[in-house]
Amino acid sequence: MGAGVRVRRDRIDKGGKLTLRDRGRMHHIAVGHAHKGKRVLMLIHGLDVRVITVDGELLRHLTLDPTRTYQAKG
């Protein structure tokens, strides 16, 4: 990812998670079961990740930990 800015469209899976590839490694980002099936935008700037709905509601903001494949909530 580096310092680049990316925008990804995705849908939260039935487990309440999204996936994101960073530097060849797949990361699983927990968003919550309450949001399963929602279409979202992922705004990615370096390791800073924001998950928002297509209506603009912020669902999750995190700093990606490149040493962990699962990015838990909280």
Side-chain angles (χ1 to χ4, degrees):
M1 245 179 343
V5 176
R6 298 190 300 168
V7 177
R8 259 194 68 209
R9 293 180 185 274
D10 208 341
R11 184 186 297 245
I12 299 172
D13 71 12
K14 62 184 175 184
K17 294 181 284 303
L18 294 165
T19 58
L20 175 65
R21 184 171 301 280
D22 175 54
R23 296 174 221 168
R25 191 167 183 195
M26 187 65 76
H27 298 277
H28 303 275
I29 299 171
V31 180
H33 285 90
H35 303 295
K36 66 183 177 183
K38 283 187 182 176
R39 291 190 181 277
V40 295
L41 297 173
M42 296 176 71
L43 308 176
I44 308 150
H45 182 250
L47 296 176
D48 184 72
V49 179
R50 294 172 196 257
V51 179
I52 62 171
T53 65
V54 293
D55 296 327
E57 176 189 359
L58 179 66
L59 299 181
R60 175 103 196 256
H61 180 211
L62 70 139
T63 300
L64 193 68
D65 181 349
T67 66
R68 298 181 174 267
T69 56
Y70 183 69
Q71 310 291 311
K73 281 186 72 172

